[in-house]
Amino acid sequence: MTSTSLPDSLIATLPGSSYTDPEIFAQEQERIFETMWFCVARAGELAKPGAFRTVDVGRESILVTRSRDDSIRAYFNVCRHRGAKICMEETGEVKRAFQCPYHAWTYDLNGKLVAAPNLTKMPDVGRTEYGLVSVAVREWLGYVWVCLAENPPSFEEDVIGEIVGRLGDVESIERYDIDNLSVGKRIVYDVKANWKLIIENFMECYHCATIHPELTEVLPEFADGYAAQYYVGHGAEFGDEVQGFTVDGSEGLDRIPGVSEDQDRRYYAITVRPQVFINLVPDHVIFHRMYPVAVDRTIVECDWLYLPHVVETGKDVSRSVELFDRVNRQDFEACERTQPGMSSRMYAKGGVLVPSEHHIGAFHDWVHERLGTRQPQ
């Protein structure tokens, strides 16, 4: 079936090979994940100088740390001497410097080479020139974003612009004061599916009535198949009898003070390409980060964020966590069910999108644009 033979109500998807071909995934790593702003950590986890986290961004290992001037720094996690990985641990803390365990080349928190065996006998080795190679860093919404490109794109256009495009203005998300919320729960999911299947699933709600009974009880309009992201500025309204965004619709926790009356009792979903999903409700924020690790495997790290005193006083957040944890598991099971079909000969030319999914076509166009590939004919 070709796109020209489809009825007007249907448009073509990407072909199955887009979700199964390791060469296409390698192109995505190079041209998407290694060139765009990529969210890697909650800034609060790097609480003091020397705290660090290592994250794979595309094909590269990146070392993120807090320096002594309290700023966040990021470097390629590669020793300048012989290329050994400096930090093998995912998280940790050093006192003053990072030392390569192979030949003991040592770098301070600003990336400068400060020590190495016989370094004083090599006066021509520049301490800065042979320091760690830095990566562009921004902090926003309480998270650390990095970009591996030599000339990073505008953060304001590529990241903040995605928020504005979804909500209509940046003030709408700033009212949730995400920078100052605390992590009440984190769940890491290992999803055996291509990263694009997860994005496509998050963008539409045609499946909601089928697999999300708890979510459609809280957000009845989702049963009609139109996702919140379909309309600029639109938030799905809680059901009349629903008290909070919880698994049973019972009362939630303390409302975030800045949330406006128009935003109260509403749910907003935002996709920030290529790997962030944000869910906004009156009393908490759910912040997902995807880490594509293989053509058919994606790690998803999900934070539930609440007002600091809610977390500090040990209030029970389990009912709000359980709602979207169920939604996530239902979604990821659907993606894992779909992944094998991408290899089927039946899906070689792809499938179709119904009208309530047509906006996913814009995502597919974006993928083609980033990869420099032609649209399927």
Side-chain angles (χ1 to χ4, degrees), residues 14 23 26 58 129 140 183 197 254 364:
L14 296 172
E23 291 188 8
E129 181 184 359
W140 193 54
V183 178
L197 290 177
D254 294 352
H364 294 165

Side-chain angles (χ1 to χ4, degrees), residues 325-366:
D325 180 39
R326 287 194 191 184
V327 171
N328 280 339
R329 294 180 190 278
Q330 292 157 353
D331 280 338
F332 299 153
E333 181 182 357
C335 293
E336 291 182 339
R337 180 185 293 268
T338 302
Q339 182 67 38
M342 300 297 97
S343 300
S344 170
R345 69 183 72 179
M346 188 284 298
Y347 209 79
K349 294 184 179 179
V352 294
L353 300 170
V354 302
S356 63
E357 303 171 308
H358 278 190
H359 56 297
I360 295 175
F363 169 64
H364 294 165
D365 292 342
W366 174 82

Side-chain angles (χ1 to χ4, degrees), residues 21 49 65 129 156 171 179 197 212 219 221 224 278 323 334 337 347 366 374 377:
D21 188 338
T65 190
E129 181 184 359
E156 285 68 25
E171 290 78 17
D179 302 60
L197 290 177
H212 294 321
L219 305 173
E221 67 184 72
D224 295 330
I278 306 172
L323 173 57
R337 180 185 293 268
Y347 209 79
W366 174 82
R374 291 187 300 174
Q377 300 297 314

Side-chain angles (χ1 to χ4, degrees), residues 43-76:
E45 296 169 2
L46 305 171
K48 57 183 180 179
F52 71 85
R53 178 168 183 174
T54 58
V55 182
D56 289 338
V57 179
R59 300 161 299 177
E60 301 285 356
S61 176
I62 302 301
L63 171 61
V64 186
T65 190
R66 189 175 294 278
S67 68
R68 297 209 170 277
D69 64 4
D70 205 39
S71 64
I72 299 288
R73 304 291 181 96
Y75 310 100
F76 286 92

Side-chain angles (χ1 to χ4, degrees), residues 173-190:
I173 197 168
E174 289 176 344
R175 295 189 190 109
Y176 290 83
D177 196 24
I178 300 175
D179 302 60
N180 296 311
L181 299 182
S182 296
V183 178
K185 181 72 174 181
R186 171 173 292 170
I187 299 177
V188 179
Y189 306 89
D190 191 337

Side-chain angles (χ1 to χ4, degrees), residues 259-370:
V259 172
S260 69
E261 290 297 325
D262 290 342
Q263 293 170 312
D264 193 22
R265 293 184 56 79
R266 288 187 180 273
Y267 162 93
Y268 299 85
I270 307 161
T271 301
V272 182
R273 294 171 296 186
Q275 46 86 244
V276 169
F277 308 138
I278 306 172
N279 307 93
L280 307 172
V281 292
D283 64 332
H284 65 282
V285 171
I286 308 165
F287 203 103
H288 301 70
R289 296 170 307 292
M290 290 197 309
Y291 302 96
V293 295
V295 69
D296 58 357
R297 183 178 174 223
T298 309
I299 302 298
V300 182
E301 191 170 85
C302 184
D303 292 342
W304 280 259
L305 306 169
Y306 302 87
L307 290 170
H309 74 265
V310 169
V311 177
E312 291 164 5
T313 58
K315 290 191 176 182
D316 183 7
V317 301
S318 62
R319 284 174 296 131
S320 58
V321 169
E322 185 177 353
L323 173 57
F324 223 82
D325 180 39
R326 287 194 191 184
V327 171
N328 280 339
R329 294 180 190 278
Q330 292 157 353
D331 280 338
F332 299 153
E333 181 182 357
C335 293
E336 291 182 339
R337 180 185 293 268
T338 302
Q339 182 67 38
M342 300 297 97
S343 300
S344 170
R345 69 183 72 179
M346 188 284 298
Y347 209 79
K349 294 184 179 179
V352 294
L353 300 170
V354 302
S356 63
E357 303 171 308
H358 278 190
H359 56 297
I360 295 175
F363 169 64
H364 294 165
D365 292 342
W366 174 82
V367 171
H368 279 297
E369 180 183 353
R370 299 295 308 192

Side-chain angles (χ1 to χ4, degrees), residues 166-241:
R166 167 66 187 94
L167 299 179
D169 55 57
V170 71
E171 290 78 17
S172 292
I173 197 168
E174 289 176 344
R175 295 189 190 109
Y176 290 83
D177 196 24
I178 300 175
D179 302 60
N180 296 311
L181 299 182
S182 296
V183 178
K185 181 72 174 181
R186 171 173 292 170
I187 299 177
V188 179
Y189 306 89
D190 191 337
V191 187
K192 296 176 179 61
N194 184 271
W195 68 281
K196 296 187 297 297
L197 290 177
I198 298 173
I199 286 188
E200 292 161 9
N201 173 278
F202 189 75
M203 290 180 69
E204 56 93 357
C205 211
Y206 190 46
H207 67 277
C208 287
T210 307
I211 70 171
H212 294 321
E214 300 88 355
L215 186 63
T216 53
E217 281 290 322
V218 175
L219 305 173
E221 67 184 72
F222 274 14
D224 295 330
Y226 284 92
Q229 296 191 77
Y230 193 77
Y231 308 99
V232 174
H234 176 74
E237 192 169 0
F238 292 5
D240 291 340
E241 304 301 318

Side-chain angles (χ1 to χ4, degrees), residues 102-165:
Y102 193 4
H103 297 94
W105 279 39
T106 305
Y107 307 88
D108 69 15
L109 302 183
N110 293 327
K112 183 179 178 181
L113 178 65
V114 293
N118 304 318
L119 184 60
T120 56
K121 298 179 181 179
M122 299 181 285
D124 56 333
V125 176
R127 305 295 182 96
T128 300
E129 181 184 359
Y130 284 90
L132 296 176
V133 177
S134 62
V135 171
V137 176
R138 286 287 298 266
E139 283 188 66
W140 193 54
L141 302 179
Y143 284 85
V144 179
W145 309 66
V146 303
C147 183
L148 276 55
E150 287 189 25
N151 298 300
S154 166
F155 188 88
E156 285 68 25
E157 292 179 9
D158 279 21
V159 177
I160 299 176
E162 291 266 43
I163 304 292
V164 173

